mmCIF file with all atom_site columns, all heavy atoms in Angstrom:
data_model
loop_
_atom_site.group_PDB
_atom_site.id
_atom_site.type_symbol
_atom_site.label_atom_id
_atom_site.label_alt_id
_atom_site.label_comp_id
_atom_site.label_asym_id
_atom_site.label_entity_id
_atom_site.label_seq_id
_atom_site.pdbx_PDB_ins_code
_atom_site.Cartn_x
_atom_site.Cartn_y
_atom_site.Cartn_z
_atom_site.occupancy
_atom_site.B_iso_or_equiv
_atom_site.pdbx_formal_charge
_atom_site.auth_seq_id
_atom_site.auth_comp_id
_atom_site.auth_asym_id
_atom_site.auth_atom_id
_atom_site.pdbx_PDB_model_num
ATOM 1   N N   . CYS B 1 282 ? -6.480  30.084 5.206  1.00 97.00 ? 303 CYS B N   1
ATOM 2   C CA  . CYS B 1 282 ? -7.041  29.966 6.554  1.00 97.00 ? 303 CYS B CA  1
ATOM 3   C C   . CYS B 1 282 ? -8.385  30.680 6.562  1.00 97.00 ? 303 CYS B C   1
ATOM 4   O O   . CYS B 1 282 ? -8.495  31.808 6.085  1.00 97.00 ? 303 CYS B O   1
ATOM 5   C CB  . CYS B 1 282 ? -6.123  30.641 7.577  1.00 97.00 ? 303 CYS B CB  1
ATOM 6   S SG  . CYS B 1 282 ? -4.540  29.817 7.795  1.00 97.00 ? 303 CYS B SG  1
ATOM 7   N N   . GLY B 1 283 ? -9.403  30.021 7.104  1.00 97.00 ? 304 GLY B N   1
ATOM 8   C CA  . GLY B 1 283 ? -10.708 30.663 7.157  1.00 97.00 ? 304 GLY B CA  1
ATOM 9   C C   . GLY B 1 283 ? -11.737 29.658 7.614  1.00 97.00 ? 304 GLY B C   1
ATOM 10  O O   . GLY B 1 283 ? -11.425 28.480 7.811  1.00 97.00 ? 304 GLY B O   1
ATOM 11  N N   . SER B 1 284 ? -12.955 30.154 7.786  1.00 97.00 ? 305 SER B N   1
ATOM 12  C CA  . SER B 1 284 ? -14.027 29.223 8.134  1.00 97.00 ? 305 SER B CA  1
ATOM 13  C C   . SER B 1 284 ? -14.335 28.380 6.892  1.00 97.00 ? 305 SER B C   1
ATOM 14  O O   . SER B 1 284 ? -13.941 28.731 5.770  1.00 97.00 ? 305 SER B O   1
ATOM 15  C CB  . SER B 1 284 ? -15.274 29.990 8.565  1.00 97.00 ? 305 SER B CB  1
ATOM 16  O OG  . SER B 1 284 ? -15.849 30.615 7.430  1.00 97.00 ? 305 SER B OG  1
ATOM 17  N N   . TYR B 1 285 ? -15.055 27.282 7.118  1.00 96.00 ? 306 TYR B N   1
ATOM 18  C CA  . TYR B 1 285 ? -15.436 26.406 6.012  1.00 96.00 ? 306 TYR B CA  1
ATOM 19  C C   . TYR B 1 285 ? -16.110 27.215 4.908  1.00 96.00 ? 306 TYR B C   1
ATOM 20  O O   . TYR B 1 285 ? -15.750 27.130 3.727  1.00 96.00 ? 306 TYR B O   1
ATOM 21  C CB  . TYR B 1 285 ? -16.388 25.338 6.570  1.00 96.00 ? 306 TYR B CB  1
ATOM 22  C CG  . TYR B 1 285 ? -16.704 24.175 5.665  1.00 96.00 ? 306 TYR B CG  1
ATOM 23  C CD1 . TYR B 1 285 ? -15.684 23.407 5.104  1.00 96.00 ? 306 TYR B CD1 1
ATOM 24  C CD2 . TYR B 1 285 ? -18.029 23.816 5.406  1.00 96.00 ? 306 TYR B CD2 1
ATOM 25  C CE1 . TYR B 1 285 ? -15.981 22.309 4.298  1.00 96.00 ? 306 TYR B CE1 1
ATOM 26  C CE2 . TYR B 1 285 ? -18.342 22.720 4.604  1.00 96.00 ? 306 TYR B CE2 1
ATOM 27  C CZ  . TYR B 1 285 ? -17.311 21.968 4.055  1.00 96.00 ? 306 TYR B CZ  1
ATOM 28  O OH  . TYR B 1 285 ? -17.609 20.901 3.277  1.00 96.00 ? 306 TYR B OH  1
ATOM 29  N N   . GLU B 1 286 ? -17.066 28.044 5.314  1.00 96.00 ? 307 GLU B N   1
ATOM 30  C CA  . GLU B 1 286 ? -17.827 28.821 4.334  1.00 96.00 ? 307 GLU B CA  1
ATOM 31  C C   . GLU B 1 286 ? -16.932 29.841 3.623  1.00 96.00 ? 307 GLU B C   1
ATOM 32  O O   . GLU B 1 286 ? -17.050 30.057 2.417  1.00 96.00 ? 307 GLU B O   1
ATOM 33  C CB  . GLU B 1 286 ? -19.014 29.528 5.005  1.00 96.00 ? 307 GLU B CB  1
ATOM 34  C CG  . GLU B 1 286 ? -20.127 28.592 5.488  1.00 96.00 ? 307 GLU B CG  1
ATOM 35  C CD  . GLU B 1 286 ? -19.736 27.782 6.731  1.00 96.00 ? 307 GLU B CD  1
ATOM 36  O OE1 . GLU B 1 286 ? -18.798 28.207 7.457  1.00 96.00 ? 307 GLU B OE1 1
ATOM 37  O OE2 . GLU B 1 286 ? -20.336 26.727 6.971  1.00 96.00 ? 307 GLU B OE2 1
ATOM 38  N N   . GLU B 1 287 ? -16.079 30.488 4.419  1.00 97.00 ? 308 GLU B N   1
ATOM 39  C CA  . GLU B 1 287 ? -15.184 31.487 3.809  1.00 97.00 ? 308 GLU B CA  1
ATOM 40  C C   . GLU B 1 287 ? -14.283 30.855 2.748  1.00 97.00 ? 308 GLU B C   1
ATOM 41  O O   . GLU B 1 287 ? -14.083 31.419 1.668  1.00 97.00 ? 308 GLU B O   1
ATOM 42  C CB  . GLU B 1 287 ? -14.316 32.145 4.896  1.00 97.00 ? 308 GLU B CB  1
ATOM 43  C CG  . GLU B 1 287 ? -15.066 33.153 5.755  1.00 97.00 ? 308 GLU B CG  1
ATOM 44  C CD  . GLU B 1 287 ? -14.244 33.621 6.960  1.00 97.00 ? 308 GLU B CD  1
ATOM 45  O OE1 . GLU B 1 287 ? -13.293 32.900 7.365  1.00 97.00 ? 308 GLU B OE1 1
ATOM 46  O OE2 . GLU B 1 287 ? -14.561 34.677 7.501  1.00 97.00 ? 308 GLU B OE2 1
ATOM 47  N N   . ILE B 1 288 ? -13.744 29.693 3.080  1.00 97.00 ? 309 ILE B N   1
ATOM 48  C CA  . ILE B 1 288 ? -12.841 29.035 2.122  1.00 97.00 ? 309 ILE B CA  1
ATOM 49  C C   . ILE B 1 288 ? -13.605 28.646 0.854  1.00 97.00 ? 309 ILE B C   1
ATOM 50  O O   . ILE B 1 288 ? -13.126 28.830 -0.266 1.00 97.00 ? 309 ILE B O   1
ATOM 51  C CB  . ILE B 1 288 ? -12.165 27.792 2.753  1.00 97.00 ? 309 ILE B CB  1
ATOM 52  C CG1 . ILE B 1 288 ? -11.309 28.216 3.948  1.00 97.00 ? 309 ILE B CG1 1
ATOM 53  C CG2 . ILE B 1 288 ? -11.296 27.068 1.724  1.00 97.00 ? 309 ILE B CG2 1
ATOM 54  C CD1 . ILE B 1 288 ? -10.808 27.064 4.789  1.00 97.00 ? 309 ILE B CD1 1
ATOM 55  N N   . HIS B 1 289 ? -14.827 28.140 1.048  1.00 97.00 ? 310 HIS B N   1
ATOM 56  C CA  . HIS B 1 289 ? -15.636 27.782 -0.118 1.00 97.00 ? 310 HIS B CA  1
ATOM 57  C C   . HIS B 1 289 ? -15.907 28.998 -1.004 1.00 97.00 ? 310 HIS B C   1
ATOM 58  O O   . HIS B 1 289 ? -15.897 28.898 -2.233 1.00 97.00 ? 310 HIS B O   1
ATOM 59  C CB  . HIS B 1 289 ? -16.950 27.122 0.328  1.00 97.00 ? 310 HIS B CB  1
ATOM 60  C CG  . HIS B 1 289 ? -16.809 25.652 0.556  1.00 97.00 ? 310 HIS B CG  1
ATOM 61  N ND1 . HIS B 1 289 ? -17.773 24.737 0.218  1.00 97.00 ? 310 HIS B ND1 1
ATOM 62  C CD2 . HIS B 1 289 ? -15.796 24.929 1.074  1.00 97.00 ? 310 HIS B CD2 1
ATOM 63  C CE1 . HIS B 1 289 ? -17.358 23.511 0.517  1.00 97.00 ? 310 HIS B CE1 1
ATOM 64  N NE2 . HIS B 1 289 ? -16.163 23.608 1.059  1.00 97.00 ? 310 HIS B NE2 1
ATOM 65  N N   . GLU B 1 290 ? -16.121 30.147 -0.362 1.00 97.00 ? 311 GLU B N   1
ATOM 66  C CA  . GLU B 1 290 ? -16.319 31.386 -1.129 1.00 97.00 ? 311 GLU B CA  1
ATOM 67  C C   . GLU B 1 290 ? -15.067 31.724 -1.933 1.00 97.00 ? 311 GLU B C   1
ATOM 68  O O   . GLU B 1 290 ? -15.131 32.004 -3.124 1.00 97.00 ? 311 GLU B O   1
ATOM 69  C CB  . GLU B 1 290 ? -16.641 32.553 -0.173 1.00 97.00 ? 311 GLU B CB  1
ATOM 70  C CG  . GLU B 1 290 ? -18.069 32.557 0.367  1.00 97.00 ? 311 GLU B CG  1
ATOM 71  C CD  . GLU B 1 290 ? -19.101 32.881 -0.706 1.00 97.00 ? 311 GLU B CD  1
ATOM 72  O OE1 . GLU B 1 290 ? -18.758 33.614 -1.654 1.00 97.00 ? 311 GLU B OE1 1
ATOM 73  O OE2 . GLU B 1 290 ? -20.234 32.371 -0.603 1.00 97.00 ? 311 GLU B OE2 1
ATOM 74  N N   . VAL B 1 291 ? -13.917 31.673 -1.246 1.00 97.00 ? 312 VAL B N   1
ATOM 75  C CA  . VAL B 1 291 ? -12.653 32.034 -1.897 1.00 97.00 ? 312 VAL B CA  1
ATOM 76  C C   . VAL B 1 291 ? -12.360 31.106 -3.080 1.00 97.00 ? 312 VAL B C   1
ATOM 77  O O   . VAL B 1 291 ? -11.899 31.546 -4.141 1.00 97.00 ? 312 VAL B O   1
ATOM 78  C CB  . VAL B 1 291 ? -11.485 31.976 -0.872 1.00 97.00 ? 312 VAL B CB  1
ATOM 79  C CG1 . VAL B 1 291 ? -10.127 32.067 -1.573 1.00 97.00 ? 312 VAL B CG1 1
ATOM 80  C CG2 . VAL B 1 291 ? -11.627 33.096 0.150  1.00 97.00 ? 312 VAL B CG2 1
ATOM 81  N N   . LEU B 1 292 ? -12.653 29.819 -2.901 1.00 97.00 ? 313 LEU B N   1
ATOM 82  C CA  . LEU B 1 292 ? -12.334 28.841 -3.952 1.00 97.00 ? 313 LEU B CA  1
ATOM 83  C C   . LEU B 1 292 ? -13.440 28.737 -5.011 1.00 97.00 ? 313 LEU B C   1
ATOM 84  O O   . LEU B 1 292 ? -13.280 28.032 -5.999 1.00 97.00 ? 313 LEU B O   1
ATOM 85  C CB  . LEU B 1 292 ? -12.079 27.462 -3.331 1.00 97.00 ? 313 LEU B CB  1
ATOM 86  C CG  . LEU B 1 292 ? -10.911 27.368 -2.344 1.00 97.00 ? 313 LEU B CG  1
ATOM 87  C CD1 . LEU B 1 292 ? -10.785 25.946 -1.803 1.00 97.00 ? 313 LEU B CD1 1
ATOM 88  C CD2 . LEU B 1 292 ? -9.601  27.795 -2.998 1.00 97.00 ? 313 LEU B CD2 1
ATOM 89  N N   . GLY B 1 293 ? -14.556 29.423 -4.754 1.00 97.00 ? 314 GLY B N   1
ATOM 90  C CA  . GLY B 1 293 ? -15.641 29.390 -5.735 1.00 97.00 ? 314 GLY B CA  1
ATOM 91  C C   . GLY B 1 293 ? -16.476 28.126 -5.676 1.00 97.00 ? 314 GLY B C   1
ATOM 92  O O   . GLY B 1 293 ? -17.084 27.730 -6.669 1.00 97.00 ? 314 GLY B O   1
ATOM 93  N N   . LEU B 1 294 ? -16.511 27.503 -4.534 1.00 98.00 ? 315 LEU B N   1
ATOM 94  C CA  . LEU B 1 294 ? -17.301 26.267 -4.380 1.00 98.00 ? 315 LEU B CA  1
ATOM 95  C C   . LEU B 1 294 ? -18.716 26.651 -3.925 1.00 98.00 ? 315 LEU B C   1
ATOM 96  O O   . LEU B 1 294 ? -19.134 26.331 -2.808 1.00 98.00 ? 315 LEU B O   1
ATOM 97  C CB  . LEU B 1 294 ? -16.635 25.333 -3.364 1.00 98.00 ? 315 LEU B CB  1
ATOM 98  C CG  . LEU B 1 294 ? -15.164 25.005 -3.642 1.00 98.00 ? 315 LEU B CG  1
ATOM 99  C CD1 . LEU B 1 294 ? -14.574 24.160 -2.525 1.00 98.00 ? 315 LEU B CD1 1
ATOM 100 C CD2 . LEU B 1 294 ? -15.018 24.291 -4.969 1.00 98.00 ? 315 LEU B CD2 1
ATOM 101 N N   . THR B 1 295 ? -19.431 27.345 -4.776 1.00 98.00 ? 316 THR B N   1
ATOM 102 C CA  . THR B 1 295 ? -20.712 27.942 -4.376 1.00 98.00 ? 316 THR B CA  1
ATOM 103 C C   . THR B 1 295 ? -21.830 27.580 -5.345 1.00 98.00 ? 316 THR B C   1
ATOM 104 O O   . THR B 1 295 ? -21.570 27.317 -6.525 1.00 98.00 ? 316 THR B O   1
ATOM 105 C CB  . THR B 1 295 ? -20.581 29.479 -4.366 1.00 98.00 ? 316 THR B CB  1
ATOM 106 O OG1 . THR B 1 295 ? -20.226 29.902 -5.691 1.00 98.00 ? 316 THR B OG1 1
ATOM 107 C CG2 . THR B 1 295 ? -19.519 29.948 -3.386 1.00 98.00 ? 316 THR B CG2 1
ATOM 108 N N   . PRO B 1 296 ? -23.074 27.637 -4.855 1.00 98.00 ? 317 PRO B N   1
ATOM 109 C CA  . PRO B 1 296 ? -24.216 27.425 -5.750 1.00 98.00 ? 317 PRO B CA  1
ATOM 110 C C   . PRO B 1 296 ? -24.208 28.450 -6.883 1.00 98.00 ? 317 PRO B C   1
ATOM 111 O O   . PRO B 1 296 ? -24.533 28.125 -8.025 1.00 98.00 ? 317 PRO B O   1
ATOM 112 C CB  . PRO B 1 296 ? -25.424 27.637 -4.827 1.00 98.00 ? 317 PRO B CB  1
ATOM 113 C CG  . PRO B 1 296 ? -24.926 27.367 -3.456 1.00 98.00 ? 317 PRO B CG  1
ATOM 114 C CD  . PRO B 1 296 ? -23.492 27.797 -3.446 1.00 98.00 ? 317 PRO B CD  1
ATOM 115 N N   . GLU B 1 297 ? -23.798 29.689 -6.554 1.00 98.00 ? 318 GLU B N   1
ATOM 116 C CA  . GLU B 1 297 ? -23.785 30.740 -7.578 1.00 98.00 ? 318 GLU B CA  1
ATOM 117 C C   . GLU B 1 297 ? -22.870 30.358 -8.740 1.00 98.00 ? 318 GLU B C   1
ATOM 118 O O   . GLU B 1 297 ? -23.190 30.592 -9.909 1.00 98.00 ? 318 GLU B O   1
ATOM 119 C CB  . GLU B 1 297 ? -23.311 32.074 -6.965 1.00 98.00 ? 318 GLU B CB  1
ATOM 120 C CG  . GLU B 1 297 ? -24.263 32.676 -5.940 1.00 98.00 ? 318 GLU B CG  1
ATOM 121 C CD  . GLU B 1 297 ? -24.258 31.946 -4.594 1.00 98.00 ? 318 GLU B CD  1
ATOM 122 O OE1 . GLU B 1 297 ? -23.203 31.365 -4.246 1.00 98.00 ? 318 GLU B OE1 1
ATOM 123 O OE2 . GLU B 1 297 ? -25.302 31.915 -3.921 1.00 98.00 ? 318 GLU B OE2 1
#
Side-chain angles (χ1 to χ4, degrees):
Chain B
C303 293
S305 71
Y306 191 54
E307 291 73 21
E308 285 171 339
I309 298 169
H310 274 218
E311 283 291 331
V312 168
L313 299 180
L315 306 176
T316 60
E318 293 74 29

